[in-house]
Amino acid sequence: MTAEQLPKTYDFKSTEERVYAHWEESGYFRPSNAPGKKGFEPTRKPFVISIPPPNVTGELHLGHAMFVAMEDLMVRYYRMKGVPTLWLPGTDHAGIATQLKVEEDLLRTEEVTRDELGREEFLKRTWAWKDKYHAIISKQIRRLGASVDWSRERFTLDEGLSRAVREAFVRLFEKGLIYRGPRLINWSPGLRTAVSDLEVEYNEEEGQLYFFKYRIKGSNEFIPVATTRPETILGDAAVAVHPEDTRYEKFIGATALVPMLDREIPVIGDEYVDREFGTGALKITPGHDANDYQIGQRHKLPILSVLDEAARITKIGGPYAGLDRFEARKRLWADMHAKGLTIKTERYVQRVPRSQRGGEIVEPMISTQWFVTIKPLAAPALAAVDDGRIKIVPEYFTKVYRNWMENIQDWCISRQLWWGHRIPVWYTPDSSMFCARTEEEARAQATQRFGKGVELKQDPDVLDTWFSSGLWPFSTLGWPEETADLAYFYPTSVLETGYDILFFWVARMIMMGLEFTGEVPFHTVYLHGLVHDERGRKMSKTLGNVIDPLEVMEKYGTDALRFTLLVGSTPGQDLTLSLEKVGANRNFANKLWNAGRFVIGAIATAPKEMKGELDWTLADAWIWARTKQILSTCNRLFENYQYGEAGRQVYDFFWSEFADWYIEIAKLQLAEGGDRAFKTVDLLVRVLDICLRLLHPFTPFVTEELWGHLKAAALAHSKSLKAHGGEWPEALIIAAWPHPIAEEDREAQALDKFAIFQNVVRSIRNVRAEKGVKPGQKLAAILAAKDYSGMLEQEKKGLAALVQLDLGKLEITETLHQKPEGHISLVAGPVEIHLSLSEALDPRVERERLEKELTAARDQIARLEKLLKSDFGKKAPKGVIEKERARLDGFKATAGSLKEQLRKLA
RNA sequence: GGGCGAGUAGCUCAGUUGGUUAGAGCGCUUCCCUUACAAGGAAGAAGUCGUAGGUUCGAGUCCUAUCUCGCCCACCA
């Protein structure tokens, strides 16, 4: 395709799907070196990321877009460096979340509950749901450009992973790290399952603090007590006061009477009680409060469960049995009020524990559940981060991680759900327990112990979904089998995810990875921030402020969205996504496209061979020096996980240096034709190519598309361009082109000289704009610069073209003794500029302007001289001093020119 | 109660070994539809880098204190 055939505006819609299909078909996403491949080298170190598996609950949101962009960036970068790269995709069954969704869906569409359907049928429906959403999610991940190896895709509930889960469970069980027993856990009454501490969220809500009387048996006295949950009074096991509380110490040892039930409970002394808070006396409900449970243990109090699994009052609640918890609260309080047992109620803001998934209020309850003894797993996981085997980016999250690991509690892993991995434990009718990888294994164990014909029933519960996610980095590679993939790709390289699941997932993977493989599952944890809406709020469905990434991609393109997420974010820092920014980045993609079109067009018009010898121009040397700088800067930034900064660097370089300056100058050079045009095209192609490579991890679609056209054009043009420019690699491998200008000195000089040249151009443009000179009007000019007249002489033509000077009336000298008549004079660093502007020039205004500039220059000279004379001149490093000295010289030159001009004006 | 992060231009945010005149996008002002691009080009206005101290030749960057906002953990009835 020639440049004219390419659309004037980058058409991402027609590009994205096609380009992705091309990648997939060509096998570009498969690791270049992997077990089973021809010539496989087991010693080559691969770069591996296991995808954070999205839940099969719904569609893609911006969190997904964020991690896909981030991980794709890393993966593409390493792939381009020639490192064998695996990005392993997959999805998570997401126990509670999915089951809840399916239940809601069934209720809405078929008006049936899961109990009505039965376990088997319900699971069938859930698998169907999974298939549907899995398809949607995979498509959306493709849409984002994720270069994952689809051939290795996994699902947490698939056959292999289920085997891994059973294996892990059995191993922990046999090691004595898994136990079952009644403990106080968080119970979600609506879902009727236990949830872990992490799955409980606390919201500040306004409630009431209820004050009431605890009567003392055999007396008229009472102890005033306050509670936020009156219904738990029915399950009280004691009243506690501080042992040194003068108000209440006399009651210690007495018997109190539970309101309405008149059950007798002791009054105890415990230092836990805060004398200042509430009434200074505390009701103790060991069955429904974590602290009370502790106190109950200390005082050997009975544990009364007054709420059942649906949070209804149990028969312990006597007349209130069967009532819902909130109904019971109302009724009990009313009855107590009637009996004169209440004191008052106060409005009270409390932190209400709610289920992360269902949103309902969670009740602490005593329940028989499965637990993992966590300390033996946490200790090595803590050590791995402390000794640097695992590095967390940003570093400050290490503290958060440590703090959590040090205070970790046993992990409740059983859930009373249907959707998930069934706990691999079987019971005989008399409750003997067999933990095994399969039912056959359990049966064999049972037969061995009891002889033939024992009836076995599997534990009905399933495992916490994070139990299987915790195995993800290695279960997806075949563990517990010692597969070739596992041997080669494990441990993985980087685990990239949002900081919000540091505990849920990352910490558990580290613990499980170390426990089961003896190795850290990854050496780096990269945590990105959360995406917020334009007003900086968390995105949530209830707020209705969710931005749909698909809509954004539809409107602005995937590259624009990705670039925005990548460049707008800093590790660990939340990001406010603004659509304006996405729009600006869409413009950037278009800018890239058009610069590409220009270069492709230039190729077609350039001669195919060099005829003679020709040196590079100043602009050539400058852009090449800058390109090299950008390359090394980006490499450094990539290695330090500073992807956003790297993207910004290329963005700025591409737009404001390559496009704004070099391309503009290249147009003039191309117009010269011949060898000059040849060399210019050569450099245009090189610099563009490098920019495309650097940008490819950020904006893969537009760069791939352009790169294809560029390559085709270059190859169609001539062998010499190919030979001259180096080989076109099949993949976008970052390998610097052979340097066209290899002299370091010359490049450094070019940077200085070109800066002066730019300065001259800007100054002239500035004056033209200020004086309202018509854009097309060519001016005569005289330029004087002692040390740079040679450079200016060389760049004369370019300068004239860039700022509309009359080339025939452009004079360049070293010094000028007389200020030319009818000229406006200005200074750009060491260059004196005199533009012929016949229109009324007021010498007074001119003088004022020059004097103002002179004063400014003199201020700078004074500042720098003072600086250099100070301790700075003695103590600062040489290079820094040199820089300042050079700057001082610059200002001195400017001041000199200015004085000259003022003199001439006089 | 403990911990963490943020406070930089009107708005949204960059700024990692401290280097001396602080950057971008959007918005704003003026001019230009110039043959890569009006999703563009040129020129311009705009910030005492939350506050107060300190270390240093030198601080947006390091230390201390403090204010404001946000988050996490623990969960005092």
Side-chain angles (χ1 to χ4, degrees), chain A residues 76-310:
Chain A
R76 283 182 192 266
Y77 172 72
Y78 284 101
R79 193 181 288 127
M80 286 165 70
K81 282 183 83 173
V83 177
T85 302
L86 172 62
W87 186 13
L88 192 145
T91 42
D92 196 307
H93 69 282
I96 296 184
T98 308
Q99 175 158 333
L100 203 65
K101 285 263 186 189
V102 175
E103 280 184 67
E104 277 170 7
D105 186 59
L106 284 172
L107 211 56
R108 204 183 55 242
T109 57
E110 302 180 37
E111 295 181 357
V112 287
T113 65
R114 68 159 148 142
D115 289 316
E116 285 162 8
L117 273 182
R119 188 163 187 152
E120 204 175 317
E121 183 57 27
F122 180 79
L123 285 179
K124 239 169 92 183
R125 304 296 181 91
T126 312
W127 276 102
W129 171 282
K130 178 251 160 186
D131 288 341
K132 179 178 163 194
Y133 281 96
H134 169 263
I136 294 173
I137 289 167
S138 319
K139 205 172 140 202
Q140 293 175 338
I141 287 177
R142 281 180 164 81
R143 180 91 193 269
L144 279 163
S147 58
V148 294
D149 180 358
W150 290 106
S151 73
R152 285 181 166 81
E153 188 186 0
R154 304 307 295 266
F155 175 56
T156 47
L157 221 48
D158 70 25
E159 204 23 60
L161 268 62
S162 299
R163 195 173 337 123
V165 165
R166 290 195 298 270
E167 179 71 26
F169 188 96
V170 170
R171 284 199 199 177
L172 288 175
F173 184 89
E174 286 173 353
K175 234 179 151 178
L177 292 179
I178 283 187
Y179 64 90
R180 180 176 187 256
R183 293 286 185 286
L184 191 75
I185 48 90
N186 300 295
W187 185 264
S188 175
L191 302 166
R192 270 170 292 145
T193 179
V195 293
S196 74
D197 298 347
L198 280 175
E199 290 163 290
V200 179
E201 285 174 350
Y202 293 83
N203 298 324
E204 278 211 341
E205 288 170 31
E206 189 162 305
Q208 299 218 62
L209 192 54
Y210 299 81
F211 291 78
F212 67 100
K213 300 171 180 172
Y214 242 112
R215 283 184 299 133
I216 302 300
K217 189 188 175 193
S219 114
N220 286 330
E221 292 186 277
F222 64 87
I223 302 176
V225 174
T227 181
T228 53
R229 297 187 294 161
E231 68 278 11
T232 62
I233 292 169
L234 300 169
D236 281 353
V239 174
V241 298
H242 194 277
E244 284 153 29
D245 191 326
T246 49
R247 294 170 294 177
Y248 306 130
E249 60 183 344
K250 59 181 175 187
F251 295 123
I252 296 173
T255 298
L257 298 170
V258 174
M260 305 317 294
L261 300 179
D262 284 344
R263 186 155 48 73
E264 298 187 358
I265 58 172
V267 178
I268 58 173
D270 195 291
E271 302 205 333
Y272 171 79
V273 182
D274 180 354
R275 278 171 284 185
E276 311 300 317
F277 193 85
T279 64
L282 186 58
K283 64 190 268 313
I284 304 297
T285 322
H288 297 284
D289 183 280
N291 290 307
D292 291 7
Y293 180 79
Q294 299 289 330
I295 295 169
Q297 297 290 52
R298 280 203 287 280
H299 296 271
K300 304 209 162 47
L301 298 174
I303 296 167
L304 303 172
S305 290
V306 74
L307 293 173
D308 69 9
E309 56 172 37

Side-chain angles (χ1 to χ4, degrees), chain A residues 170-461:
Chain A
V170 170
R171 284 199 199 177
L172 288 175
F173 184 89
E174 286 173 353
K175 234 179 151 178
L177 292 179
I178 283 187
Y179 64 90
R180 180 176 187 256
R183 293 286 185 286
L184 191 75
I185 48 90
N186 300 295
W187 185 264
S188 175
L191 302 166
R192 270 170 292 145
T193 179
V195 293
S196 74
D197 298 347
L198 280 175
E199 290 163 290
V200 179
E201 285 174 350
Y202 293 83
N203 298 324
E204 278 211 341
E205 288 170 31
E206 189 162 305
Q208 299 218 62
L209 192 54
Y210 299 81
F211 291 78
F212 67 100
K213 300 171 180 172
Y214 242 112
R215 283 184 299 133
I216 302 300
K217 189 188 175 193
S219 114
N220 286 330
E221 292 186 277
F222 64 87
I223 302 176
V225 174
T227 181
T228 53
R229 297 187 294 161
E231 68 278 11
T232 62
I233 292 169
L234 300 169
D236 281 353
V239 174
V241 298
H242 194 277
E244 284 153 29
D245 191 326
T246 49
R247 294 170 294 177
Y248 306 130
E249 60 183 344
K250 59 181 175 187
F251 295 123
I252 296 173
T255 298
L257 298 170
V258 174
M260 305 317 294
L261 300 179
D262 284 344
R263 186 155 48 73
E264 298 187 358
I265 58 172
V267 178
I268 58 173
D270 195 291
E271 302 205 333
Y272 171 79
V273 182
D274 180 354
R275 278 171 284 185
E276 311 300 317
F277 193 85
T279 64
L282 186 58
K283 64 190 268 313
I284 304 297
T285 322
H288 297 284
D289 183 280
N291 290 307
D292 291 7
Y293 180 79
Q294 299 289 330
I295 295 169
Q297 297 290 52
R298 280 203 287 280
H299 296 271
K300 304 209 162 47
L301 298 174
I303 296 167
L304 303 172
S305 290
V306 74
L307 293 173
D308 69 9
E309 56 172 37
R312 288 174 308 229
I313 303 296
T314 61
K315 58 178 187 277
I316 290 171
Y320 303 95
L323 288 180
D324 173 77
R325 52 184 162 165
F326 301 117
E327 181 61 22
R329 178 180 297 180
K330 258 192 253 166
R331 294 267 286 273
L332 176 64
W333 190 252
D335 292 349
M336 283 167 64
H337 187 71
K339 276 209 158 189
L341 292 172
T342 61
I343 299 171
K344 60 173 177 178
T345 61
E346 266 180 15
R347 283 163 68 152
Y348 183 67
V349 176
Q350 55 176 331
R351 309 246 302 154
V352 179
R354 287 183 181 274
S355 155
Q356 185 198 34
R357 291 296 170 190
E360 40 155 8
I361 295 179
V362 163
E363 294 290 343
M365 281 194 199
I366 297 295
S367 171
T368 298
Q369 301 287 343
W370 288 93
F371 295 88
V372 174
T373 309
I374 210 76
K375 295 270 183 199
L377 300 178
L382 190 55
V385 169
D386 276 344
D387 66 22
R389 274 176 293 153
I390 295 177
K391 182 182 162 181
I392 302 181
V393 180
E395 206 249 328
Y396 57 76
F397 270 104
T398 305
K399 264 191 179 174
V400 181
Y401 174 85
R402 181 178 304 126
N403 186 270
W404 188 75
M405 274 295 182
E406 281 169 352
N407 298 298
I408 197 165
Q409 300 293 317
D410 281 359
W411 175 15
C412 175
I413 51 169
S414 44
R415 299 287 181 276
Q416 288 62 54
L417 303 171
W418 289 348
W419 179 240
H421 299 97
R422 198 86 175 255
I423 287 176
V425 169
W426 284 261
Y427 305 96
T428 59
D430 65 347
S431 298
S432 294
M433 175 192 294
F434 298 95
C435 175
R437 287 161 186 82
T438 60
E439 187 165 352
E440 289 68 49
E441 229 179 275
R443 196 164 297 285
Q445 286 178 27
T447 310
Q448 200 178 14
R449 193 177 327 162
F450 296 113
K452 282 205 164 103
V454 192
E455 195 189 323
L456 282 183
K457 251 188 154 160
Q458 188 171 4
D459 193 302
D461 291 355

Side-chain angles (χ1 to χ4, degrees), chain A residues 37 39 65 67 83 162 186 209 248 254 401 434 447 464 481 505 525 593 668 684 718 761 850:
Chain A
K37 272 211 169 183
F67 87 66
V83 177
S162 299
N186 300 295
L209 192 54
Y248 306 130
Y401 174 85
F434 298 95
T447 310
D464 181 3
E481 307 298 322
W505 192 42
V525 175
W593 178 255
L668 307 170
L684 279 169
S718 64
V761 170
L850 290 168

Side-chain angles (χ1 to χ4, degrees), chain A residues 881-892:
Chain A
I881 296 175
E882 281 311 307
K883 232 168 92 189
E884 293 311 312
R885 189 153 287 150
R887 199 176 278 173
L888 175 62
D889 291 344
F891 281 116
K892 276 183 173 165

Side-chain angles (χ1 to χ4, degrees), chain A residues 802-904:
Chain A
L802 287 178
V803 295
Q804 300 288 337
L805 295 180
D806 187 341
L807 188 57
K809 293 179 187 163
L810 174 54
E811 199 182 311
I812 292 169
T813 71
E814 286 196 14
T815 44
L816 194 65
H817 298 290
Q818 206 62 51
K819 179 187 154 66
E821 203 58 35
H823 283 60
I824 183 170
S825 304
L826 46 143
V827 167
V831 183
E832 261 180 54
I833 302 163
H834 306 273
L835 291 177
S836 108
L837 264 184
S838 44
E839 288 89 24
L841 276 180
D842 184 345
R844 251 190 26 231
V845 176
E846 283 310 291
R847 171 170 286 277
E848 251 172 54
R849 188 172 56 77
L850 290 168
E851 271 172 351
K852 222 171 116 190
E853 277 187 51
L854 182 59
T855 310
R858 279 179 169 155
D859 286 351
Q860 290 298 332
I861 291 168
R863 185 183 66 82
L864 286 164
E865 277 179 340
K866 200 176 143 204
L867 179 72
L868 286 162
K869 262 188 224 142
S870 73
D871 284 354
F872 171 84
K874 292 173 209 140
K875 298 193 180 174
K878 225 176 161 185
V880 179
I881 296 175
E882 281 311 307
K883 232 168 92 189
E884 293 311 312
R885 189 153 287 150
R887 199 176 278 173
L888 175 62
D889 291 344
F891 281 116
K892 276 183 173 165
T894 305
S897 313
L898 284 165
K899 267 188 272 180
E900 268 299 299
Q901 296 206 25
L902 280 163
R903 193 185 55 75
K904 288 171 203 154

